[in-house]
Amino acid sequence: MSVRTAAIVMASLLALGGLFAAAAAAFNWEWFFRSPNTRMLSFGIRRRARIRLLYLLYAAAMLAMSLRLLLDVA
């Protein structure tokens, strides 16, 4: 596998993860926010709106990393 192919695969995975996190925050998926991994990342945040905002920021960061990776290999 070439470096370019690996970068495209990684960028795709980052983009999918970012879109999934953004969808979970936008649609307030209860099952998503009750998972142990989600609770681990938002350990000190009590209000649901703040957790959703945090995950929107995570999603934006993942999408930005994906875009940056694609622009670097193009």
Side-chain angles (χ1 to χ4, degrees):
M1 182 184 305
S2 71
V3 173
R4 182 182 167 103
T5 305
I8 291 172
V9 169
M10 187 64 195
S12 299
L13 290 174
L14 280 170
L16 285 174
L19 291 173
F20 186 75
F27 297 120
N28 197 17
W29 290 340
E30 190 68 28
W31 59 269
F32 181 83
F33 291 108
R34 289 195 184 271
S35 72
N37 290 337
T38 302
R39 283 186 278 153
M40 179 185 67
L41 289 175
S42 57
F43 58 91
I45 304 172
R46 298 263 185 230
R47 297 181 51 117
R48 176 70 57 169
R50 290 184 184 163
I51 294 171
R52 290 174 65 192
L53 178 63
L54 177 68
Y55 271 85
L56 278 174
L57 293 174
Y58 285 156
M62 290 174 73
L63 290 170
M65 287 187 287
S66 172
L67 183 63
R68 177 63 188 206
L69 189 57
L70 284 176
L71 289 175
D72 282 347
V73 297

